[in-house]
Amino acid sequence: MVVGMHYTLKDDDGNTIDSSENKDPLLYIHGQQNIVSGLEKELTGKSVGDKLSVKVTPEEGYGERDERLTQVVPVAAFEGVEKDQLKTGMQFHAEGPDGNPLLVSVAKVDGEEVTIDGNHFLAGVNLNFDVEITEVRQATKEELEHGHFHTGAFDH
Ligand code: ZN
């Protein structure tokens, strides 16, 4: 099934992390792990017009924070980047502890020391979704083969 929904995502303090407000509904193919498992599970069997609030723990969201993915490295480790260009939130590709590629972001710049963090920015965060289902339809054979939905604008 292709499912469309409007959603608002908040943390436990009520801060909005993400929302489809003033945008097109989010579409995903149900059962293909296109969205976090804790939300997908709750959307099973829902129909157009259904509204629900879902709390997703890190375990079923973006995982717990892994402190092994946080490291302090010297500015010199950033080849081709000047010290004054390094800013919090910048992202780099690096190699993770298991040797796999990892997207890391700069968490802090302190003199010659740079703290980098390879955790997803929502790791360790409870995800509070408010969802309204806007569309439910059968996925086409082609969509299932591609693993993503097609619209008029995105069709291949
Ligand atoms: Zn496709």
Side-chain angles (χ1 to χ4, degrees):
M1 293 300 220
V2 173
V3 178
M5 62 174 159
H6 274 300
Y7 70 97
T8 300
L9 169 59
K10 292 181 176 173
D11 64 18
D12 278 350
D13 296 326
N15 301 307
T16 299
I17 297 167
D18 194 12
S19 171
S20 63
E21 201 180 334
N22 302 322
K23 291 189 232 165
D24 288 336
L26 173 76
L27 291 179
Y28 77 97
I29 300 184
H30 197 79
Q32 299 216 337
Q33 293 164 344
N34 292 156
I35 60 172
V36 294
S37 64
L39 179 59
E40 183 165 56
K41 194 175 66 179
E42 295 298 324
L43 294 177
T44 303
K46 294 293 185 285
S47 324
V48 173
D50 282 354
K51 291 183 185 181
L52 61 159
S53 297
V54 181
K55 190 183 193 80
V56 177
T57 60
E59 191 183 14
E60 293 187 308
Y62 293 98
E64 298 288 355
R65 283 187 58 80
D66 181 350
E67 292 312 324
R68 289 175 309 161
L69 301 181
T70 302
Q71 252 188 298
V72 178
V73 297
V75 169
F78 295 86
E79 282 171 39
V81 182
E82 296 300 322
K83 187 176 160 185
D84 56 7
Q85 293 179 308
L86 282 172
K87 300 224 167 16
T88 303
M90 285 176 81
Q91 294 189 315
F92 295 88
H93 289 281
E95 193 174 280
D98 50 7
N100 291 323
L102 183 70
L103 186 66
V104 301
S105 50
V106 173
K108 199 170 100 181
V109 183
D110 184 9
E112 296 297 317
E113 293 188 332
V114 182
T115 305
I116 57 170
D117 189 352
N119 287 288
H120 189 282
F121 80 105
L122 291 175
V125 175
N126 284 322
L127 309 171
N128 300 287
F129 288 97
D130 282 312
V131 172
E132 180 175 1
I133 308 293
T134 59
E135 182 177 344
V136 179
R137 65 170 168 83
Q138 200 72 45
T140 65
K141 187 165 165 282
E142 199 184 38
E143 286 174 325
L144 289 174
E145 279 169 4
H146 289 194
H148 55 235
F149 62 85
H150 288 164
T151 67
F154 180 60
D155 211 356
H156 53 260

